[in-house]
Amino acid sequence: MDDIPITLLRAMYVTMLRIRRFEEHVARLVERGEIKTPCHLYIGQEAVAAGICAALRVDDQIFGTHRSHGHYLAKGGDMQAMMAEIYGKRTGCSRGRGGSMHLIAPEVGLLGTVPIVSGTIPLAVGAALAAMLQGCDRVTVAFFGDGAMEEGTAHESLNLAAHRRLPVVFVCENNLYSSHLSLFERRARDNIVDAAAAHGLVGIRVDGNDAEAVHAAASQAVARARSGGGATFLECRTYRWRGHVGPSWDLDVGVKRKDELREWLSRDPIARLRQSLVSAGVPTEVLDRLDDDVQAEVARAEAYAKQSPYPAADELTMHVFYSEDASR
Amino acid sequence: MNTRPLTYAQAIREALAQMMERDPRVFVIGQGVWSPWYVGTSMQDLDRQFGRERVIDSPVSENATTGVGIGAALAGMRPVVIHPRVDFMLLAVDQLVNEAANWCYMFGGQVSVPIVIRPIINRGGEQGAQHSQALHAWFMHVPGLKVVMPATPYDAKGLLVASILDDNPVLYVDDRWLYMETADVPEELYSVPIGQAAVRRAGRDATVVAISYMVKAAVEAGERLSHEGVDVEIIDVRSLKPLDDATILASVRKTGHVVVADSGWRTCGAAAEISARISEHAFDALRAPVARVALPDVPAPTSRALEGVYYVGADHIAAAVRRVLHERATHPLRGRASVPP
């Protein structure tokens, strides 16, 4: 594995901090009752979004899930617009029609996030097919969870992508839980990555809490896709610290979660990357200052969202069908 | 415009070919698109003409194939997704409803999903419950989808062109019972506006609002009724969503007697929605209750003995017209006939 330049490590660190601090604040706002839309927090999984998106170009495209605050920020989406969306404001990235689960930032290649499990996997394959038909070297990434691999659509999509050698990277974020059920309560074997080979794809299992490892695997997968080598399946092993939805820690679900959580908290992906940066000679004061800047940015996003207007009542029926005038 | 006779199926093929020639963003994906056995002559040799990269015969994966079409549309293409039987498209309702229909709204109108979904109604011939269904009404129910059902070769071409040009998801539903209908079709590319019904026959006594194959049946019924001195007006709905209320209501106001004819089931069917709108907006003009001609709420049987009583056609429409005209004479509301509209 080539050494990752320090500037890239630092950029991934900032991305992960932005996700972490944004979501910690969202959790507080949910607890205070300011935010109502269901928020599925990504805390603990930040290395996956950061590592994958650091390997992408701005024109590469991604699709996400109900748990996509991290994907949105990592791909370059505007934090204020996401906060405003979560507040249900007209200035939100989806103009108050989407909430936390429907995020979009087409200007940086985030084409959409949805909560229907496996719903965006075929969409990513379709965007990859479009790139091939258009003769351009754009790559598409589908982010999804371990539960999505229990859906038939996921397997249909892997087969289609493999058969037509499409430039897509499947990123399965295996956080060991689908809602309240642990992986071992849903599957006979812990073998999600094996599905890749069954469909004729390269499948790789990666430590999803190691941003450097995720980035390295993603870089190879993206290079393969871009050069006509077809799709790759990455299983990123990670853990979500919070509950399926909302700010709780979900200690009452699954048989082992209480013990597991302690263990996974000690594998904090941000602490790990910080250690790499310190070892590489970055002073801790510099890293602390980055954290301060990020917290200030989150506060600005909150203020922006609060000041923004709600959509007007007469806008209810706008956007059922597309019109160029209304799209701007 | 130069015209020549084409079958309904040839008109579909011509629309696809001309749009693919004109616009490199247009491509076709679906099961059986290389096989005349699946899609009749409606796509004959399209793969040879445009290559199998652009005319893609898909694996047996209805939901993912539909999703691939939607994703390609989001990334700048204009896909036409083919489902050779409506029945099998049920496996793709998730992508159609959850994704295609909602997408524009749930992202605040910033992105369009310019996709055409073409489910084919393929029934009769003792094919039975899972090879015969006509479920277009389901999709009228969903905000964000348009639904068109051409009844003539001219509209088969023009509505398909309009559907491909539209920036929204359009269900283009064709019926194989119409594939051999032949009529003059212009050689040039043209489109028939989505959302406009057509008056197929002008008349004074009763209005038949008909959908897809039932337009052909209504024309037959209208001929027969004319020999009985009954002058029927026939409205070809063409576009179920958006529905052309104005054309339908104008005819209702003229005749005061209405039969709505559809090739789907009766309960919550397209005919139910049309008759509800007539009641809401032209109750004062009605001289008899609106009658529906639709399939009984029964799965399609196989035995020809049962098929013969299951499907509806010209006889049922003619009988329904006679009935609503008779009710005019006997119905307690008949006095309303003298009330000016």
Side-chain angles (χ1 to χ4, degrees), chain A residues 239 241 249 251 256-268:
Chain A
Y239 201 81
W241 291 7
W249 297 82
L251 294 176
K256 295 185 300 180
R257 187 163 164 99
K258 215 167 188 170
D259 302 328
E260 278 172 359
L261 179 61
R262 195 172 306 127
E263 189 186 326
W264 280 93
L265 287 174
S266 72
R267 297 186 208 161
D268 180 358

mmCIF file with all atom_site columns, all heavy atoms in Angstrom, chain A residues 239 241 249 251 256-268:
data_model
loop_
_atom_site.group_PDB
_atom_site.id
_atom_site.type_symbol
_atom_site.label_atom_id
_atom_site.label_alt_id
_atom_site.label_comp_id
_atom_site.label_asym_id
_atom_site.label_entity_id
_atom_site.label_seq_id
_atom_site.pdbx_PDB_ins_code
_atom_site.Cartn_x
_atom_site.Cartn_y
_atom_site.Cartn_z
_atom_site.occupancy
_atom_site.B_iso_or_equiv
_atom_site.pdbx_formal_charge
_atom_site.auth_seq_id
_atom_site.auth_comp_id
_atom_site.auth_asym_id
_atom_site.auth_atom_id
_atom_site.pdbx_PDB_model_num
ATOM 1   N N   . TYR A 1 239 ? -19.275 -0.107  13.082 1.00 0.00 ? 239 TYR A N   1
ATOM 2   C CA  . TYR A 1 239 ? -20.266 -0.213  14.152 1.00 0.00 ? 239 TYR A CA  1
ATOM 3   C C   . TYR A 1 239 ? -20.916 1.137   14.346 1.00 0.00 ? 239 TYR A C   1
ATOM 4   O O   . TYR A 1 239 ? -20.235 2.154   14.419 1.00 0.00 ? 239 TYR A O   1
ATOM 5   C CB  . TYR A 1 239 ? -19.565 -0.629  15.454 1.00 0.00 ? 239 TYR A CB  1
ATOM 6   C CG  . TYR A 1 239 ? -20.489 -1.258  16.482 1.00 0.00 ? 239 TYR A CG  1
ATOM 7   C CD1 . TYR A 1 239 ? -20.848 -2.597  16.384 1.00 0.00 ? 239 TYR A CD1 1
ATOM 8   C CD2 . TYR A 1 239 ? -20.981 -0.508  17.543 1.00 0.00 ? 239 TYR A CD2 1
ATOM 9   C CE1 . TYR A 1 239 ? -21.687 -3.179  17.327 1.00 0.00 ? 239 TYR A CE1 1
ATOM 10  C CE2 . TYR A 1 239 ? -21.817 -1.085  18.493 1.00 0.00 ? 239 TYR A CE2 1
ATOM 11  C CZ  . TYR A 1 239 ? -22.170 -2.427  18.375 1.00 0.00 ? 239 TYR A CZ  1
ATOM 12  O OH  . TYR A 1 239 ? -22.985 -2.994  19.305 1.00 0.00 ? 239 TYR A OH  1
ATOM 13  N N   . TRP A 1 241 ? -22.586 3.636   16.756 1.00 0.00 ? 241 TRP A N   1
ATOM 14  C CA  . TRP A 1 241 ? -22.603 3.809   18.207 1.00 0.00 ? 241 TRP A CA  1
ATOM 15  C C   . TRP A 1 241 ? -24.012 4.054   18.717 1.00 0.00 ? 241 TRP A C   1
ATOM 16  O O   . TRP A 1 241 ? -24.400 3.560   19.761 1.00 0.00 ? 241 TRP A O   1
ATOM 17  C CB  . TRP A 1 241 ? -21.712 5.009   18.605 1.00 0.00 ? 241 TRP A CB  1
ATOM 18  C CG  . TRP A 1 241 ? -20.248 4.772   18.401 1.00 0.00 ? 241 TRP A CG  1
ATOM 19  C CD1 . TRP A 1 241 ? -19.664 3.697   17.807 1.00 0.00 ? 241 TRP A CD1 1
ATOM 20  C CD2 . TRP A 1 241 ? -19.192 5.635   18.818 1.00 0.00 ? 241 TRP A CD2 1
ATOM 21  N NE1 . TRP A 1 241 ? -18.297 3.831   17.805 1.00 0.00 ? 241 TRP A NE1 1
ATOM 22  C CE2 . TRP A 1 241 ? -17.985 5.025   18.431 1.00 0.00 ? 241 TRP A CE2 1
ATOM 23  C CE3 . TRP A 1 241 ? -19.134 6.872   19.474 1.00 0.00 ? 241 TRP A CE3 1
ATOM 24  C CZ2 . TRP A 1 241 ? -16.740 5.606   18.679 1.00 0.00 ? 241 TRP A CZ2 1
ATOM 25  C CZ3 . TRP A 1 241 ? -17.899 7.442   19.722 1.00 0.00 ? 241 TRP A CZ3 1
ATOM 26  C CH2 . TRP A 1 241 ? -16.704 6.811   19.320 1.00 0.00 ? 241 TRP A CH2 1
ATOM 27  N N   . TRP A 1 249 ? -28.554 5.165   22.715 1.00 0.00 ? 249 TRP A N   1
ATOM 28  C CA  . TRP A 1 249 ? -27.430 4.245   22.499 1.00 0.00 ? 249 TRP A CA  1
ATOM 29  C C   . TRP A 1 249 ? -27.912 2.821   22.250 1.00 0.00 ? 249 TRP A C   1
ATOM 30  O O   . TRP A 1 249 ? -27.109 1.923   22.084 1.00 0.00 ? 249 TRP A O   1
ATOM 31  C CB  . TRP A 1 249 ? -26.457 4.313   23.687 1.00 0.00 ? 249 TRP A CB  1
ATOM 32  C CG  . TRP A 1 249 ? -25.835 5.672   23.818 1.00 0.00 ? 249 TRP A CG  1
ATOM 33  C CD1 . TRP A 1 249 ? -26.386 6.767   24.426 1.00 0.00 ? 249 TRP A CD1 1
ATOM 34  C CD2 . TRP A 1 249 ? -24.578 6.102   23.285 1.00 0.00 ? 249 TRP A CD2 1
ATOM 35  N NE1 . TRP A 1 249 ? -25.546 7.845   24.314 1.00 0.00 ? 249 TRP A NE1 1
ATOM 36  C CE2 . TRP A 1 249 ? -24.410 7.474   23.637 1.00 0.00 ? 249 TRP A CE2 1
ATOM 37  C CE3 . TRP A 1 249 ? -23.563 5.471   22.554 1.00 0.00 ? 249 TRP A CE3 1
ATOM 38  C CZ2 . TRP A 1 249 ? -23.286 8.212   23.261 1.00 0.00 ? 249 TRP A CZ2 1
ATOM 39  C CZ3 . TRP A 1 249 ? -22.438 6.202   22.208 1.00 0.00 ? 249 TRP A CZ3 1
ATOM 40  C CH2 . TRP A 1 249 ? -22.313 7.566   22.544 1.00 0.00 ? 249 TRP A CH2 1
ATOM 41  N N   . LEU A 1 251 ? -29.005 0.329   23.978 1.00 0.00 ? 251 LEU A N   1
ATOM 42  C CA  . LEU A 1 251 ? -28.355 -0.752  24.731 1.00 0.00 ? 251 LEU A CA  1
ATOM 43  C C   . LEU A 1 251 ? -29.290 -1.929  24.973 1.00 0.00 ? 251 LEU A C   1
ATOM 44  O O   . LEU A 1 251 ? -28.861 -3.006  25.373 1.00 0.00 ? 251 LEU A O   1
ATOM 45  C CB  . LEU A 1 251 ? -27.849 -0.208  26.075 1.00 0.00 ? 251 LEU A CB  1
ATOM 46  C CG  . LEU A 1 251 ? -26.731 0.825   25.909 1.00 0.00 ? 251 LEU A CG  1
ATOM 47  C CD1 . LEU A 1 251 ? -26.334 1.413   27.264 1.00 0.00 ? 251 LEU A CD1 1
ATOM 48  C CD2 . LEU A 1 251 ? -25.509 0.203   25.234 1.00 0.00 ? 251 LEU A CD2 1
ATOM 49  N N   . LYS A 1 256 ? -25.937 -8.909  22.551 1.00 0.00 ? 256 LYS A N   1
ATOM 50  C CA  . LYS A 1 256 ? -24.579 -8.615  23.024 1.00 0.00 ? 256 LYS A CA  1
ATOM 51  C C   . LYS A 1 256 ? -24.219 -7.142  22.959 1.00 0.00 ? 256 LYS A C   1
ATOM 52  O O   . LYS A 1 256 ? -23.089 -6.777  23.223 1.00 0.00 ? 256 LYS A O   1
ATOM 53  C CB  . LYS A 1 256 ? -23.572 -9.398  22.168 1.00 0.00 ? 256 LYS A CB  1
ATOM 54  C CG  . LYS A 1 256 ? -23.681 -10.895 22.305 1.00 0.00 ? 256 LYS A CG  1
ATOM 55  C CD  . LYS A 1 256 ? -22.570 -11.581 21.524 1.00 0.00 ? 256 LYS A CD  1
ATOM 56  C CE  . LYS A 1 256 ? -22.644 -11.224 20.042 1.00 0.00 ? 256 LYS A CE  1
ATOM 57  N NZ  . LYS A 1 256 ? -21.618 -11.853 19.232 1.00 0.00 ? 256 LYS A NZ  1
ATOM 58  N N   . ARG A 1 257 ? -25.187 -6.307  22.603 1.00 0.00 ? 257 ARG A N   1
ATOM 59  C CA  . ARG A 1 257 ? -24.810 -4.949  22.233 1.00 0.00 ? 257 ARG A CA  1
ATOM 60  C C   . ARG A 1 257 ? -24.065 -4.196  23.335 1.00 0.00 ? 257 ARG A C   1
ATOM 61  O O   . ARG A 1 257 ? -23.118 -3.463  23.069 1.00 0.00 ? 257 ARG A O   1
ATOM 62  C CB  . ARG A 1 257 ? -26.045 -4.162  21.792 1.00 0.00 ? 257 ARG A CB  1
ATOM 63  C CG  . ARG A 1 257 ? -25.657 -2.802  21.252 1.00 0.00 ? 257 ARG A CG  1
ATOM 64  C CD  . ARG A 1 257 ? -26.717 -2.124  20.432 1.00 0.00 ? 257 ARG A CD  1
ATOM 65  N NE  . ARG A 1 257 ? -26.374 -0.719  20.320 1.00 0.00 ? 257 ARG A NE  1
ATOM 66  C CZ  . ARG A 1 257 ? -25.773 -0.152  19.285 1.00 0.00 ? 257 ARG A CZ  1
ATOM 67  N NH1 . ARG A 1 257 ? -25.468 -0.869  18.228 1.00 0.00 ? 257 ARG A NH1 1
ATOM 68  N NH2 . ARG A 1 257 ? -25.474 1.129   19.290 1.00 0.00 ? 257 ARG A NH2 1
ATOM 69  N N   . LYS A 1 258 ? -24.474 -4.391  24.576 1.00 0.00 ? 258 LYS A N   1
ATOM 70  C CA  . LYS A 1 258 ? -23.860 -3.648  25.678 1.00 0.00 ? 258 LYS A CA  1
ATOM 71  C C   . LYS A 1 258 ? -22.341 -3.908  25.744 1.00 0.00 ? 258 LYS A C   1
ATOM 72  O O   . LYS A 1 258 ? -21.547 -2.987  25.891 1.00 0.00 ? 258 LYS A O   1
ATOM 73  C CB  . LYS A 1 258 ? -24.522 -4.071  26.998 1.00 0.00 ? 258 LYS A CB  1
ATOM 74  C CG  . LYS A 1 258 ? -24.648 -2.954  27.991 1.00 0.00 ? 258 LYS A CG  1
ATOM 75  C CD  . LYS A 1 258 ? -25.581 -3.384  29.112 1.00 0.00 ? 258 LYS A CD  1
ATOM 76  C CE  . LYS A 1 258 ? -25.881 -2.221  30.029 1.00 0.00 ? 258 LYS A CE  1
ATOM 77  N NZ  . LYS A 1 258 ? -26.957 -2.548  30.967 1.00 0.00 ? 258 LYS A NZ  1
ATOM 78  N N   . ASP A 1 259 ? -21.970 -5.182  25.608 1.00 0.00 ? 259 ASP A N   1
ATOM 79  C CA  . ASP A 1 259 ? -20.536 -5.534  25.663 1.00 0.00 ? 259 ASP A CA  1
ATOM 80  C C   . ASP A 1 259 ? -19.825 -5.070  24.405 1.00 0.00 ? 259 ASP A C   1
ATOM 81  O O   . ASP A 1 259 ? -18.723 -4.533  24.451 1.00 0.00 ? 259 ASP A O   1
ATOM 82  C CB  . ASP A 1 259 ? -20.370 -7.050  25.774 1.00 0.00 ? 259 ASP A CB  1
ATOM 83  C CG  . ASP A 1 259 ? -21.091 -7.579  27.004 1.00 0.00 ? 259 ASP A CG  1
ATOM 84  O OD1 . ASP A 1 259 ? -21.155 -6.837  27.997 1.00 0.00 ? 259 ASP A OD1 1
ATOM 85  O OD2 . ASP A 1 259 ? -21.602 -8.714  26.936 1.00 0.00 ? 259 ASP A OD2 1
ATOM 86  N N   . GLU A 1 260 ? -20.495 -5.279  23.277 1.00 0.00 ? 260 GLU A N   1
ATOM 87  C CA  . GLU A 1 260 ? -19.884 -4.905  21.997 1.00 0.00 ? 260 GLU A CA  1
ATOM 88  C C   . GLU A 1 260 ? -19.586 -3.416  21.934 1.00 0.00 ? 260 GLU A C   1
ATOM 89  O O   . GLU A 1 260 ? -18.540 -3.007  21.472 1.00 0.00 ? 260 GLU A O   1
ATOM 90  C CB  . GLU A 1 260 ? -20.871 -5.172  20.857 1.00 0.00 ? 260 GLU A CB  1
ATOM 91  C CG  . GLU A 1 260 ? -20.941 -6.568  20.351 1.00 0.00 ? 260 GLU A CG  1
ATOM 92  C CD  . GLU A 1 260 ? -22.105 -6.672  19.368 1.00 0.00 ? 260 GLU A CD  1
ATOM 93  O OE1 . GLU A 1 260 ? -22.820 -5.670  19.135 1.00 0.00 ? 260 GLU A OE1 1
ATOM 94  O OE2 . GLU A 1 260 ? -22.284 -7.748  18.834 1.00 0.00 ? 260 GLU A OE2 1
ATOM 95  N N   . LEU A 1 261 ? -20.547 -2.624  22.392 1.00 0.00 ? 261 LEU A N   1
ATOM 96  C CA  . LEU A 1 261 ? -20.415 -1.182  22.240 1.00 0.00 ? 261 LEU A CA  1
ATOM 97  C C   . LEU A 1 261 ? -19.145 -0.694  22.925 1.00 0.00 ? 261 LEU A C   1
ATOM 98  O O   . LEU A 1 261 ? -18.395 0.102   22.362 1.00 0.00 ? 261 LEU A O   1
ATOM 99  C CB  . LEU A 1 261 ? -21.651 -0.472  22.806 1.00 0.00 ? 261 LEU A CB  1
ATOM 100 C CG  . LEU A 1 261 ? -21.611 1.058   22.718 1.00 0.00 ? 261 LEU A CG  1
ATOM 101 C CD1 . LEU A 1 261 ? -21.525 1.521   21.267 1.00 0.00 ? 261 LEU A CD1 1
ATOM 102 C CD2 . LEU A 1 261 ? -22.849 1.686   23.368 1.00 0.00 ? 261 LEU A CD2 1
ATOM 103 N N   . ARG A 1 262 ? -18.894 -1.210  24.124 1.00 0.00 ? 262 ARG A N   1
ATOM 104 C CA  . ARG A 1 262 ? -17.701 -0.785  24.865 1.00 0.00 ? 262 ARG A CA  1
ATOM 105 C C   . ARG A 1 262 ? -16.450 -1.052  24.020 1.00 0.00 ? 262 ARG A C   1
ATOM 106 O O   . ARG A 1 262 ? -15.568 -0.211  23.889 1.00 0.00 ? 262 ARG A O   1
ATOM 107 C CB  . ARG A 1 262 ? -17.644 -1.533  26.201 1.00 0.00 ? 262 ARG A CB  1
ATOM 108 C CG  . ARG A 1 262 ? -16.681 -0.930  27.198 1.00 0.00 ? 262 ARG A CG  1
ATOM 109 C CD  . ARG A 1 262 ? -16.797 -1.594  28.569 1.00 0.00 ? 262 ARG A CD  1
ATOM 110 N NE  . ARG A 1 262 ? -18.157 -1.607  29.094 1.00 0.00 ? 262 ARG A NE  1
ATOM 111 C CZ  . ARG A 1 262 ? -18.786 -2.721  29.528 1.00 0.00 ? 262 ARG A CZ  1
ATOM 112 N NH1 . ARG A 1 262 ? -18.195 -3.894  29.461 1.00 0.00 ? 262 ARG A NH1 1
ATOM 113 N NH2 . ARG A 1 262 ? -20.019 -2.644  29.986 1.00 0.00 ? 262 ARG A NH2 1
ATOM 114 N N   . GLU A 1 263 ? -16.443 -2.233  23.440 1.00 0.00 ? 263 GLU A N   1
ATOM 115 C CA  . GLU A 1 263 ? -15.290 -2.635  22.630 1.00 0.00 ? 263 GLU A CA  1
ATOM 116 C C   . GLU A 1 263 ? -15.145 -1.726  21.399 1.00 0.00 ? 263 GLU A C   1
ATOM 117 O O   . GLU A 1 263 ? -14.047 -1.286  21.065 1.00 0.00 ? 263 GLU A O   1
ATOM 118 C CB  . GLU A 1 263 ? -15.516 -4.085  22.204 1.00 0.00 ? 263 GLU A CB  1
ATOM 119 C CG  . GLU A 1 263 ? -14.344 -4.747  21.550 1.00 0.00 ? 263 GLU A CG  1
ATOM 120 C CD  . GLU A 1 263 ? -14.756 -6.146  21.048 1.00 0.00 ? 263 GLU A CD  1
ATOM 121 O OE1 . GLU A 1 263 ? -15.601 -6.797  21.710 1.00 0.00 ? 263 GLU A OE1 1
ATOM 122 O OE2 . GLU A 1 263 ? -14.238 -6.531  19.989 1.00 0.00 ? 263 GLU A OE2 1
ATOM 123 N N   . TRP A 1 264 ? -16.257 -1.432  20.758 1.00 0.00 ? 264 TRP A N   1
ATOM 124 C CA  . TRP A 1 264 ? -16.190 -0.620  19.538 1.00 0.00 ? 264 TRP A CA  1
ATOM 125 C C   . TRP A 1 264 ? -15.887 0.849   19.850 1.00 0.00 ? 264 TRP A C   1
ATOM 126 O O   . TRP A 1 264 ? -15.259 1.530   19.038 1.00 0.00 ? 264 TRP A O   1
ATOM 127 C CB  . TRP A 1 264 ? -17.476 -0.743  18.734 1.00 0.00 ? 264 TRP A CB  1
ATOM 128 C CG  . TRP A 1 264 ? -17.533 -2.014  17.919 1.00 0.00 ? 264 TRP A CG  1
ATOM 129 C CD1 . TRP A 1 264 ? -18.085 -3.190  18.295 1.00 0.00 ? 264 TRP A CD1 1
ATOM 130 C CD2 . TRP A 1 264 ? -16.984 -2.226  16.614 1.00 0.00 ? 264 TRP A CD2 1
ATOM 131 N NE1 . TRP A 1 264 ? -17.934 -4.135  17.291 1.00 0.00 ? 264 TRP A NE1 1
ATOM 132 C CE2 . TRP A 1 264 ? -17.267 -3.564  16.254 1.00 0.00 ? 264 TRP A CE2 1
ATOM 133 C CE3 . TRP A 1 264 ? -16.284 -1.419  15.699 1.00 0.00 ? 264 TRP A CE3 1
ATOM 134 C CZ2 . TRP A 1 264 ? -16.871 -4.112  15.020 1.00 0.00 ? 264 TRP A CZ2 1
ATOM 135 C CZ3 . TRP A 1 264 ? -15.902 -1.964  14.482 1.00 0.00 ? 264 TRP A CZ3 1
ATOM 136 C CH2 . TRP A 1 264 ? -16.190 -3.304  14.157 1.00 0.00 ? 264 TRP A CH2 1
ATOM 137 N N   . LEU A 1 265 ? -16.345 1.317   21.020 1.00 0.00 ? 265 LEU A N   1
ATOM 138 C CA  . LEU A 1 265 ? -16.014 2.704   21.384 1.00 0.00 ? 265 LEU A CA  1
ATOM 139 C C   . LEU A 1 265 ? -14.493 2.871   21.475 1.00 0.00 ? 265 LEU A C   1
ATOM 140 O O   . LEU A 1 265 ? -13.942 3.924   21.142 1.00 0.00 ? 265 LEU A O   1
ATOM 141 C CB  . LEU A 1 265 ? -16.654 3.080   22.724 1.00 0.00 ? 265 LEU A CB  1
ATOM 142 C CG  . LEU A 1 265 ? -18.178 3.301   22.718 1.00 0.00 ? 265 LEU A CG  1
ATOM 143 C CD1 . LEU A 1 265 ? -18.701 3.513   24.134 1.00 0.00 ? 265 LEU A CD1 1
ATOM 144 C CD2 . LEU A 1 265 ? -18.562 4.475   21.849 1.00 0.00 ? 265 LEU A CD2 1
ATOM 145 N N   . SER A 1 266 ? -13.833 1.810   21.865 1.00 0.00 ? 266 SER A N   1
ATOM 146 C CA  . SER A 1 266 ? -12.369 1.898   21.988 1.00 0.00 ? 266 SER A CA  1
ATOM 147 C C   . SER A 1 266 ? -11.693 1.868   20.620 1.00 0.00 ? 266 SER A C   1
ATOM 148 O O   . SER A 1 266 ? -10.496 2.104   20.506 1.00 0.00 ? 266 SER A O   1
ATOM 149 C CB  . SER A 1 266 ? -11.849 0.757   22.865 1.00 0.00 ? 266 SER A CB  1
ATOM 150 O OG  . SER A 1 266 ? -11.953 -0.456  22.153 1.00 0.00 ? 266 SER A OG  1
ATOM 151 N N   . ARG A 1 267 ? -12.467 1.556   19.591 1.00 0.00 ? 267 ARG A N   1
ATOM 152 C CA  . ARG A 1 267 ? -11.900 1.555   18.226 1.00 0.00 ? 267 ARG A CA  1
ATOM 153 C C   . ARG A 1 267 ? -12.363 2.793   17.458 1.00 0.00 ? 267 ARG A C   1
ATOM 154 O O   . ARG A 1 267 ? -12.565 2.727   16.236 1.00 0.00 ? 267 ARG A O   1
ATOM 155 C CB  . ARG A 1 267 ? -12.375 0.313   17.463 1.00 0.00 ? 267 ARG A CB  1
ATOM 156 C CG  . ARG A 1 267 ? -11.927 -0.989  18.064 1.00 0.00 ? 267 ARG A CG  1
ATOM 157 C CD  . ARG A 1 267 ? -12.335 -2.126  17.128 1.00 0.00 ? 267 ARG A CD  1
ATOM 158 N NE  . ARG A 1 267 ? -12.553 -3.356  17.866 1.00 0.00 ? 267 ARG A NE  1
ATOM 159 C CZ  . ARG A 1 267 ? -13.245 -4.399  17.412 1.00 0.00 ? 267 ARG A CZ  1
ATOM 160 N NH1 . ARG A 1 267 ? -13.806 -4.335  16.217 1.00 0.00 ? 267 ARG A NH1 1
ATOM 161 N NH2 . ARG A 1 267 ? -13.390 -5.468  18.132 1.00 0.00 ? 267 ARG A NH2 1
ATOM 162 N N   . ASP A 1 268 ? -12.550 3.858   18.133 1.00 0.00 ? 268 ASP A N   1
ATOM 163 C CA  . ASP A 1 268 ? -13.028 5.110   17.531 1.00 0.00 ? 268 ASP A CA  1
ATOM 164 C C   . ASP A 1 268 ? -12.198 5.486   16.290 1.00 0.00 ? 268 ASP A C   1
ATOM 165 O O   . ASP A 1 268 ? -10.987 5.709   16.385 1.00 0.00 ? 268 ASP A O   1
ATOM 166 C CB  . ASP A 1 268 ? -12.941 6.222   18.590 1.00 0.00 ? 268 ASP A CB  1
ATOM 167 C CG  . ASP A 1 268 ? -13.427 7.564   18.060 1.00 0.00 ? 268 ASP A CG  1
ATOM 168 O OD1 . ASP A 1 268 ? -13.801 7.645   16.877 1.00 0.00 ? 268 ASP A OD1 1
ATOM 169 O OD2 . ASP A 1 268 ? -13.410 8.529   18.850 1.00 0.00 ? 268 ASP A OD2 1
#
